[in-house]
Amino acid sequence: SKSRFVTNPGLGFKTPTEAREGNYIDKKCPFTGKVSIRGRILTGVITKMKMNRTVVIRRDYLHYIKKYNRFEKRHKNVSVHLSPCFRDVQVGDVVTV
């Protein structure tokens, strides 16, 4: 079998076996492509999986209202690339981006 180009993205992320043994081609995959992890690491819940290799995650956060001395719930939807090496991912899963 041919040897496959696999990199370790760092920050404690383990390379999935599908990335090592699969035969997909994805230039935006952090394990087999040329992307480096930089900036913040975000977490969210998957809400939609209707695009090709892309998922929409929802990030919930609290916003402080000074006048009422309370917090209100807010959220942002973020479109995120999903590499084919992550196979059993479903709506409702908590993901780290």
Side-chain angles (χ1 to χ4, degrees):
S1 68
K2 286 187 174 181
S3 104
R4 186 165 164 79
F5 172 78
V6 178
T7 58
N8 179 14
L11 298 171
F13 292 109
K14 299 243 184 350
T15 306
T17 54
E18 180 63 29
R20 274 185 255 114
E21 298 162 8
N23 56 2
Y24 67 90
I25 298 169
D26 187 12
K27 66 177 185 178
K28 295 180 183 175
C29 175
F31 305 105
T32 61
K34 290 285 185 184
V35 234
S36 59
I37 298 175
R38 54 195 180 80
R40 290 191 179 172
I41 296 174
L42 312 172
T43 57
V45 179
I46 295 179
T47 54
K48 297 177 197 167
M49 292 186 67
K50 295 185 176 179
M51 290 179 275
N52 185 25
R53 291 190 180 183
T54 306
V55 294
V56 176
I57 65 166
R58 177 185 170 116
R59 303 196 63 236
D60 294 315
Y61 60 95
L62 296 173
H63 179 251
Y64 182 68
I65 309 294
K66 198 158 99 179
K67 177 180 177 182
Y68 298 110
N69 198 17
R70 283 172 171 77
F71 292 92
E72 69 179 2
K73 284 186 182 177
R74 290 191 178 184
H75 80 276
K76 289 271 192 277
N77 285 343
V78 184
S79 294
V80 175
H81 181 76
L82 180 70
S83 175
C85 67
F86 301 112
R87 279 192 165 168
D88 42 324
V89 178
Q90 293 163 345
V91 173
D93 289 355
V94 176
V95 292
T96 301
V97 185

